[in-house]
Amino acid sequence: MNKTDIFKIAIVGPESTGKSTMSAYLAEHYRTVWVPEFARAYCEGLTDTPTWQDEINMFNGQLALEYELLPKANKILICDTTFITVKIWSEYTFGKAPQEVLDELPKHTYDFYLLLNIDLPWEHDPLRDFPHMREHFMDVWYKELRELNARYELISGNGPERYANAISAIDKFLATQ
């Protein structure tokens, strides 16, 4: 099986919507690997707010991690977020996104996106900054996915219901392929 036979499923959404937990769960369910969010580990090593260069580094790191794990995937590669997050944070923080991110967006596609809803309670984390802006960033995610003409489904619910909704959405997507 080569990398073109693998469906890339992106798990996206605002902060504190359970992307990492969902990604790990889905990878186990589908017996495949998942690509962790590179920015999380990267930002844990920073002593200050991410700079423009840090955003570019996170973009490159996310792509490299995805390429590294793609050959290990079993029909599906689950991606805990994508480098679209770099675009979103850069535009919010700096008023624009790095050109290399903008250039790569139309070329580096995902087959299906699960947009995780903000219906989970906010959980504090030192790397999360915007509990009061969840609705704003949810709107941004809708806009980004529409601009990409992405195929996606909104995933809501708590606990087992949320996981079941995600599995159902992926299974429906796979059935059409």
Side-chain angles (χ1 to χ4, degrees):
M1 177 175 290
N2 65 45
K3 68 180 185 175
T4 59
D5 297 327
I6 306 236
F7 293 108
K8 292 192 311 182
I9 311 289
I11 314 303
V12 299
E15 295 177 315
S16 195
T17 54
K19 294 179 296 294
S20 296
T21 303
M22 179 66 78
S23 296
Y25 179 86
L26 292 172
E28 183 176 325
H29 176 81
Y30 289 104
R31 293 181 176 92
T32 190
V33 297
W34 63 287
V35 181
E37 179 183 15
F38 181 84
R40 173 161 281 284
Y42 186 92
C43 288
E44 285 173 347
L46 296 178
T47 57
D48 205 354
T49 305
T51 65
W52 181 260
Q53 185 59 53
D54 289 324
E55 295 295 339
I56 293 168
N57 294 347
M58 287 184 269
F59 159 72
N60 288 319
Q62 189 70 40
L63 279 180
L65 194 52
E66 190 174 308
Y67 286 128
E68 175 188 329
L69 292 171
L70 185 63
K72 299 174 183 174
N74 178 23
K75 299 180 186 168
I76 298 172
L77 180 68
I78 304 292
C79 299
D80 176 4
T81 205
T82 70
F83 67 85
I84 298 171
T85 303
V86 171
K87 178 182 186 288
I88 291 170
W89 289 119
S90 295
E91 288 176 345
Y92 179 79
T93 306
F94 303 107
K96 64 180 183 174
Q99 191 60 49
E100 48 266 73
V101 172
L102 298 175
D103 292 344
E104 190 65 23
L105 271 174
K107 297 186 284 187
H108 192 88
T109 59
Y110 297 84
D111 298 293
F112 190 56
Y113 292 80
L114 298 183
L115 175 58
L116 301 190
N117 203 349
I118 56 174
D119 57 344
L120 294 180
W122 175 267
E123 288 188 26
H124 175 74
D125 178 314
L127 295 177
R128 294 182 182 146
D129 298 317
F130 302 104
H132 58 289
M133 296 185 70
R134 294 177 90 196
E135 290 177 7
H136 165 78
F137 285 110
M138 191 69 182
D139 290 341
V140 170
W141 272 105
Y142 277 119
K143 175 184 158 286
E144 292 296 332
L145 293 173
R146 280 192 306 269
E147 285 179 4
L148 289 171
N149 199 28
R151 189 167 174 190
Y152 72 93
E153 187 160 331
L154 178 66
I155 303 299
S156 301
N158 288 298
E161 176 189 18
R162 195 175 192 88
Y163 296 128
N165 292 340
I167 289 167
S168 175
I170 291 173
D171 287 350
K172 285 178 193 170
F173 163 75
L174 293 173
T176 65
Q177 301 307 303

